[in-house]
Amino acid sequence: PLSKYPPLINDISFWLPSETYSKNDFYDLARTVGGDLIEKVFLVDEFTHPKTKKVSHCYRVVYRHPERTLTQDEVHRIHQAIEESAVRELGVEGRF
């Protein structure tokens, strides 16, 4: 069933590690940390720095609760946990 409550949308960007990186790893991490409150995660931008050749990804995370309106404070805590987990577990360099 679709929720009638409004979504909250937050973006997260980071520099990719030089080792092998998979978008699916980030999708899995975000859904593990955010659980059922995450409706959708998708890549919105990919940027390669012209001098350093480092690659950056920006993902959009859509949060929505099926039974109530979420507050930005509760979503911010989850989003911050996703950022910290991405740095720790995926080895990315945050741009947040």
Side-chain angles (χ1 to χ4, degrees):
L2 297 175
S3 176
K4 64 181 180 179
Y5 298 97
L8 285 176
I9 299 167
N10 287 308
D11 292 346
I12 180 172
S13 7
F14 46 78
W15 296 107
L16 302 184
S18 54
E19 311 87 59
T20 305
Y21 170 83
S22 170
K23 290 181 234 175
N24 289 334
D25 291 340
F26 179 73
Y27 297 145
D28 291 342
L29 180 136
R31 291 189 185 284
T32 298
V33 174
D36 292 339
L37 296 182
I38 292 184
E39 182 176 281
K40 190 186 317 185
V41 179
F42 56 98
L43 181 67
V44 291
D45 187 46
E46 186 171 343
F47 167 74
T48 302
H49 192 281
K51 291 182 182 174
T52 64
K53 302 301 180 201
K54 289 174 68 173
V55 178
S56 172
H57 278 185
C58 179
Y59 292 90
R60 181 148 297 153
V61 183
V62 179
Y63 299 88
R64 189 188 315 238
H65 195 284
E67 299 170 354
R68 65 181 176 82
T69 300
L70 292 170
T71 66
Q72 186 60 47
D73 282 344
E74 53 188 334
V75 167
H76 177 72
R77 285 191 297 274
I78 297 165
H79 199 72
Q80 193 170 25
I82 292 171
E83 291 171 346
E84 292 167 1
S85 294
V87 169
R88 187 176 56 252
E89 296 177 28
L90 302 179
V92 302
E93 182 185 338
R95 297 181 66 194
F96 23 87

